[in-house]
Amino acid sequence: MKKFTLPTKIQQVLLGFTALGIIALAAGFAVDAHRAWAGLLVFTFFLLILSLAGGFFTALQFISGAKWSVVVRRIPETTVMVLPVVGLLLIAVFFGIHHLYEWSHLDVVENDHILKYKSAYLNTPFFIARIVIYFTLWFGLGMALRKVSLAQDESKDPAQRTTLVKLSTAYMLTFAYTFALAAIDLIMSLEPHWFTTMFPVYAFSGLAYSGISAFIILIVTIQKHGGLAEVTEEHMHDLGKFLFVFTTFWAYIAFSQHMLTWYANLPEETYYLEVRLKGDWAIFTAAFWILHFLIPFGILLSRDVKRDGTRLARVAWLTLFMGFVDVVWMVYGGLNIKGFPFGWLELGLFFGAVGVFGYIVLAAYSKNAEVPVGDPMLEESKHFHQPI
Amino acid sequence: MSAMENTNSLRIGKPYAEIDNDILKPLETFPTKTWWIAFLVAASALGMFGIVLTYSFFKGLGIFGLNNPVSWGFYIINFVFWVGIGHAGTLISAILYLFRQKWRTSINRAAEAMTIFAVMTAAVFPLIHVGRPWFVYWIFPYPNERGPLWVNFRSPLLWDLFAISTYFIISLVFWYMGLVPDFANMRDRLERFKSKTKIGQLLLDVKKITLRVISLGWVGSAKTWHHYEKMVLILSALATPLVLSVHTIVSFDFATSVIPGWHATIFPPYFVAGAIYSGFAMVLTLMIIMRNVFKMEAYITMKHLENMGLVILVTGMMVSFAYTMEFVMAAYSASHNEQYVFLNRLTGPYAWAFWVMFTCNVVSPHFMWFKKLRTNITVLFIISIVVNIGMWFERFVIVVTSLHRDYLPSSWDMYIPTFYDYAMLIGSFGLFFTMFLLFVRSFPAIAVAEVKADEANEELAQHH
């Protein structure tokens, strides 16, 4: 069983990034605490979607019976290890609940009949209880998937694939509903008067987009440092296609949500777009849509880019960053943040997220076999070719 | 769930000549009694469709159950229903092609035909609805002498025209291109037929010449195939976004409005999932009938049927997710109108329609979890029909329950379909099935060339 050794240089860089994130956050609290709380939520939610994307991707592979992806599967299987940190960060967010969630102020709720109505759902104890439930389910199922897959490395028992398929089905169904609710709770309720049915799907599209970007970067990084020799340009091509698909999917969902909101022009809905298209936000939003969709879409049409790990990873850095900006876009818009919505704090937090996520995933990854050696489909995956 | 893999060999294990004979048999023999009975039933329904349609032109829309709050009734429901059915064909031929799902080859031809006929059936309803169908070309934006009078580009109904006509054209091209090698095959096979009578010979000659023309001089050389494969790939890439765009735009018809129950941003993906759900259910119904009537069990195997059952399970759960989100958001919204519409769906005068929809669409696909049930033809057949009943009712629920109770209780009214509404609904099935029955008699219902190519590949793989 070949294991990956994490080079010290990479460790240092990632720890440096983490430190950068912590410094940025600390400085943020010193300068503008309101913005720093919002930044903390962005940081937490971004790490949450990255780690959940791993479970989603793993489960998808098992349910669809995909064979090409066996060699790359260990990476998404590992991201669940980031969840404990996310749990701690969520506790920190609970402390900032009054800074973030309008509905947590009882006096405001008392004078607002909509919030008063919603207080049966949007109240602090129930909010915390819900998050704890989602978190337990995500962590429990994600770890179960990981454990069975790791156990298969030793046992080489092909029958464990059946267990994994069943677990994946359970994960997928649980994930669909709990993540939808979590997106409503954590992000949509920042603007507690606002609602739209697409929102959970929008949040999911961001999850898949950022997640696949992170996996590509991790795989290419591991390869650059002598690991994962099994992953060929054929696998890169499929990962690139995944990134292309989720780039397009995000655009489809975002367009549907925003166009329908804009077209119907209902006052209870449109202010969501209005605040994001005024003042500093106009440039921010326009750049966001161009960089999040148009540019990666254009680049990813190329077959050559998708088959070349180095070039694909460059695109993935852009999309990972834009996935982070997407969270900023969702969170900051509702919180009346002063100044341009993206500055040194957010940049620092992005580096911090990369550091935390990269360090934990790579450290956990290097403890076990590089690829699922017990999977009966492994040989087939190694010899995978794009069928043309 | 691992049944989506294509490891299990799809090999047919028959000589190519026998595959030709099996698939082309219905085209080269006189129709069976079963076919004639089915055709007569379908044609009578189509006849009724024509009569009611003509009658409605003379009498006006008053013969239907439409009234003031419910100004959109069976027409739009049938339209959305049939457009939805029309999603599976191009999905199977384009998206499953890109996904390298080899099992698609036995079913893609009939599914594409179904798509084309379903879209044609759907198109009849807006055509009637424009009031004076002989002026239908007015909805195309072109410089004209009527003012000049331009169409309303801001209307999603116009986007529908663009989306559906584009989809129809590409689907038709796709279908025809797939048919070309098979036409060439039929053309070559025709050489062996001779007629004793003069008139018979003449008809045979007409058939020969027609096939010679429509097979576009296909010779089947390696070079031809190479070009052909490239073309299929490019067409698939072009058709894929179209599959999604059609029902997305159909959903805009509702979602761009401000009517509670219609204005929901989740509508586009929700409608697309629903369309694939109902489309696959209809493919399943047709394939089960076709394999039994034409004895095509060797080509449309249990594996195909099981895979379609799984697609139904997955898309059914996606649709259920969208229903849930609608209710969750309505509850969360604190908007009185929004909440009332959904409460009214559950408990109002049309609650029965909602619960029919719920049972058919949300509950019934879950039988597909069990391998025993999804490999049982009777169960699959029943589920496929139940799902389509459910999907028709879904559109009924969306259209009627959102409209019948207006903002002002004084404008409330019930929508009671008349005999003519039902006649149009049944008639639309007549139109669809007439076309489909003619298709299975005049075109190879299974893509012969593709099935043979896959067979050759499977054989090679086994010799390795």
Side-chain angles (χ1 to χ4, degrees):
Chain A
M1 267 198 296
K2 202 173 152 260
K3 285 182 185 175
F4 173 64
T5 24
L6 183 59
T8 337
K9 202 185 109 198
I10 300 270
Q11 285 188 31
Q12 284 164 350
V13 170
L14 290 171
L15 287 174
F17 280 0
T18 311
L20 209 62
I22 295 169
I23 294 166
L25 193 64
F29 273 107
V31 176
D32 181 350
H34 178 60
R35 185 164 181 157
W37 279 115
L40 181 67
L41 179 62
V42 169
F43 185 71
T44 310
F45 193 74
F46 186 60
L47 281 179
L48 173 68
I49 59 176
L50 286 184
S51 44
L52 289 180
F56 163 74
F57 189 80
T58 312
L60 186 65
Q61 304 310 309
F62 281 119
I63 293 172
S64 61
K67 281 170 269 172
W68 71 272
S69 57
V70 175
V71 291
V72 297
R73 207 184 66 215
R74 191 82 342 141
I75 304 286
E77 269 174 18
T78 310
T79 62
V80 66
M81 303 303 279
V82 184
L83 273 184
V85 177
V86 176
L88 293 176
L89 286 164
L90 282 169
I91 293 171
V93 168
F94 293 153
F95 283 106
I97 200 162
H98 290 307
H99 297 271
L100 294 166
Y101 299 99
E102 193 187 348
W103 50 260
S104 67
H105 296 270
L106 294 175
D107 50 327
V108 177
V109 172
E110 212 42 55
N111 297 315
D112 184 322
H113 75 276
I114 289 183
L115 292 189
K116 206 169 169 185
Y117 176 88
K118 288 188 180 182
S119 63
Y121 184 78
L122 293 180
N123 59 66
T124 311
F126 193 28
F127 174 79
I128 294 176
R130 284 197 305 272
I131 303 287
V132 169
I133 293 169
Y134 310 145
F135 188 85
T136 316
L137 287 168
W138 295 331
F139 191 65
L141 284 165
M143 283 308 274
L145 260 177
R146 180 173 155 79
K147 270 196 186 133
V148 178
S149 176
L150 288 178
Q152 203 186 23
D153 283 0
E154 303 292 332
S155 71
K156 311 262 195 268
D157 179 9
Q160 270 174 317
R161 206 179 162 90
T162 322
T163 319
L164 285 162
V165 171
K166 282 182 183 157
L167 267 175
S168 300
T169 316
Y171 184 93
M172 200 61 109
L173 285 172
T174 315
F175 166 75
Y177 286 91
T178 48
F179 182 70
L181 292 173
I184 298 172
D185 290 343
L186 285 169
I187 307 291
M188 202 166 90
S189 80
L190 289 168
E191 287 153 282
H193 297 94
W194 182 75
F195 62 92
T196 197
T197 43
M198 186 71 111
F199 190 79
V201 187
Y202 180 85
F204 163 74
S205 71
L207 172 144
Y209 177 89
S210 311
I212 195 77
S213 314
F215 305 151
I216 291 172
I217 294 167
L218 285 167
I219 290 162
V220 173
T221 312
I222 291 168
Q223 277 197 312
K224 285 259 153 81
H225 296 89
L228 274 178
E230 293 87 349
V231 177
T232 64
E233 57 179 8
E234 307 288 339
H235 302 100
M236 275 300 151
H237 194 174
D238 263 8
L239 289 166
K241 285 181 198 170
F242 254 114
L243 184 57
F244 178 73
V245 163
F246 287 122
T247 306
T248 318
F249 181 68
W250 177 85
Y252 171 59
I253 298 298
F255 175 77
S256 301
Q257 178 179 312
H258 301 325
M259 194 281 281
L260 290 172
T261 304
W262 167 80
Y263 195 112
N265 205 13
L266 291 167
E268 65 206 42
E269 268 184 19
T270 31
Y271 72 88
Y272 182 83
L273 271 184
E274 204 187 346
V275 294
R276 285 167 177 78
L277 288 168
K278 268 187 178 167
D280 284 339
W281 278 82
I283 294 172
F284 179 59
T285 299
F288 165 53
W289 286 337
I290 292 168
L291 289 167
H292 194 296
F293 169 64
L294 282 181
I295 291 178
F297 177 84
I299 298 173
L300 287 168
L301 282 171
S302 155
R303 184 171 187 268
D304 291 350
V305 171
K306 285 186 290 232
R307 290 177 76 85
D308 179 351
T310 317
R311 288 159 82 190
L312 185 62
R314 271 183 223 144
V315 185
W317 274 110
L318 169 69
T319 51
L320 183 72
F321 179 68
M322 291 320 291
F324 180 82
V325 175
D326 189 10
V327 184
V328 173
W329 193 83
M330 290 191 288
V331 170
Y332 279 25
L335 290 177
N336 213 1
I337 300 293
K338 283 185 211 79
F340 194 76
F342 202 91
W344 54 267
L345 170 66
E346 291 69 32
L347 196 64
L349 286 173
F350 173 69
F351 279 114
V354 170
V356 171
F357 183 78
Y359 187 82
I360 296 176
V361 172
L362 286 175
Y365 174 75
S366 53
K367 289 209 177 78
N368 301 296
E370 278 192 318
V371 289
V373 284
D375 194 306
M377 309 288 186
L378 179 65
E379 274 311 304
E380 209 168 334
S381 173
K382 279 184 189 168
H383 301 287
F384 166 70
H385 279 279
Q386 293 289 338
I388 280 289
Chain B
M1 293 295 280
S2 54
M4 291 295 268
E5 306 163 3
N6 13 355
T7 33
N8 311 11
S9 175
L10 289 165
R11 218 182 140 200
I12 298 158
K14 285 188 184 186
Y16 298 151
E18 208 177 320
I19 297 179
D20 279 350
N21 289 338
D22 282 354
I23 298 176
L24 299 176
K25 198 178 157 217
L27 282 63
E28 294 167 348
T29 50
F30 197 72
T32 56
K33 217 187 225 165
T34 330
W35 185 88
W36 275 114
I37 295 169
F39 185 73
L40 282 177
V41 173
S44 331
L46 174 61
M48 179 167 72
F49 190 70
I51 293 167
V52 173
L53 192 58
T54 317
Y55 179 62
S56 78
F57 283 152
F58 283 96
K59 194 82 179 170
L61 285 176
I63 61 168
F64 300 113
L66 299 172
N67 56 40
N68 201 2
V70 190
S71 47
W72 262 9
F74 268 35
Y75 273 20
I76 190 84
I77 298 167
N78 295 344
F79 164 72
V80 180
F81 175 75
W82 283 112
V83 174
I85 299 282
H87 268 64
T90 307
L91 182 106
I92 290 170
S93 49
I95 298 185
L96 293 192
Y97 178 81
L98 295 179
F99 283 177
R100 325 287 176 203
Q101 294 292 316
K102 284 189 194 124
W103 58 277
R104 59 178 267 287
T105 45
S106 303
I107 54 167
N108 67 353
R109 172 68 45 75
E112 284 169 45
M114 179 200 79
T115 287
I116 287 159
F117 302 142
V119 172
M120 284 163 76
T121 309
V124 172
F125 292 98
L127 187 71
I128 309 165
H129 207 79
V130 296
R132 277 174 283 178
W134 46 94
F135 285 135
V136 74
Y137 60 91
W138 284 14
I139 58 176
F140 289 96
Y142 63 96
N144 58 63
E145 293 171 340
R146 300 185 296 274
L149 193 63
W150 289 92
V151 289
N152 184 0
F153 286 104
R154 283 175 295 185
S155 165
L157 297 173
L158 183 72
W159 311 341
D160 253 348
L161 172 81
F162 300 144
I164 293 173
S165 54
T166 312
Y167 179 66
F168 179 73
I169 291 164
I170 295 286
S171 298
L172 196 66
V173 170
F174 217 125
W175 188 55
Y176 175 59
M177 284 298 149
L179 275 163
V180 168
D182 289 358
F183 282 147
N185 186 2
M186 286 164 71
R187 171 197 68 190
D188 299 343
R189 281 169 66 88
L190 219 54
E191 298 299 329
R192 70 179 73 166
F193 291 97
K194 289 235 157 28
S195 181
K196 287 185 189 99
T197 57
K198 257 197 171 156
I199 181 84
Q201 193 56 45
L202 180 75
L203 287 174
L204 217 53
D205 283 342
V206 170
K207 207 172 169 183
K208 267 183 201 170
I209 293 168
T210 316
L211 280 171
R212 230 176 273 166
V213 172
I214 58 176
S215 57
L216 305 176
W218 179 271
V219 288
S221 67
K223 198 175 160 188
T224 323
W225 275 110
H226 177 74
H227 286 296
Y228 180 80
E229 292 286 330
K230 270 269 167 288
M231 182 228 39
V232 172
L233 185 66
I234 292 169
L235 265 184
S236 302
L238 287 176
T240 298
L242 288 175
V243 177
L244 302 178
S245 75
V246 173
H247 235 57
T248 296
I249 305 246
V250 169
S251 81
F252 287 170
D253 292 347
F254 302 96
T256 50
S257 74
V258 294
I259 293 170
W262 282 10
H263 177 70
T265 48
I266 204 172
F267 261 31
Y270 154 37
F271 267 49
V272 171
I276 295 166
Y277 184 44
S278 70
F280 264 89
M282 188 58 114
V283 178
L284 197 50
T285 313
L286 294 175
M287 289 304 125
I288 291 174
I289 298 174
M290 216 170 85
R291 88 197 272 271
N292 283 2
V293 173
F294 294 131
K295 309 266 172 297
M296 284 176 174
E297 286 90 347
Y299 306 96
I300 303 164
T301 61
M302 208 54 201
K303 181 110 191 114
H304 295 100
L305 302 181
E306 191 189 351
N307 281 353
M308 286 191 267
L310 286 172
V311 174
I312 286 177
L313 175 63
V314 171
T315 47
M317 286 193 289
M318 285 184 184
V319 171
S320 310
F321 178 82
Y323 295 160
T324 314
M325 277 311 119
E326 280 201 302
F327 277 93
V328 166
M329 270 331 152
Y332 176 88
S333 72
S335 152
H336 178 74
N337 297 325
E338 195 75 27
Q339 291 181 339
Y340 180 75
V341 164
F342 285 93
L343 202 65
N344 186 40
R345 276 187 193 176
L346 288 178
T347 57
Y350 289 109
W352 60 272
F354 176 84
W355 292 109
V356 167
M357 172 196 98
F358 184 85
T359 317
C360 296
N361 286 354
V362 180
V363 180
S364 83
H366 290 286
F367 289 110
M368 298 289 105
W369 282 107
F370 308 100
K371 192 160 179 99
K372 258 210 174 118
L373 297 179
R374 64 172 188 262
T375 49
N376 180 325
I377 307 243
T378 323
V379 174
L380 278 173
F381 191 67
I382 294 171
I383 295 284
S384 74
I385 289 174
V386 163
V387 165
N388 263 323
I389 295 174
M391 284 309 292
W392 189 87
F393 271 99
E394 179 197 295
R395 280 66 176 245
F396 182 88
V397 168
I398 292 172
V399 173
V400 176
T401 62
S402 310
L403 285 177
H404 83 118
R405 290 196 167 168
D406 211 334
Y407 292 105
L408 288 174
S410 59
S411 338
W412 288 6
D413 206 347
M414 290 295 285
Y415 174 70
I416 300 154
T418 64
F419 162 77
Y420 299 103
D421 284 306
Y422 291 113
M424 289 298 280
L425 172 62
I426 295 164
S428 69
F429 278 90
L431 174 60
F432 175 78
F433 278 104
T434 307
M435 291 192 283
F436 195 80
L437 285 163
L438 288 174
F439 154 77
V440 294
R441 289 271 322 132
S442 39
F443 296 86
I446 291 177
V448 192
E450 280 192 69
V451 166
K452 284 196 286 192
D454 275 355
E455 182 74 359
N457 285 333
E458 291 278 336
E459 230 172 68
L460 272 178
Q462 282 184 5
H463 281 301
H464 255 293

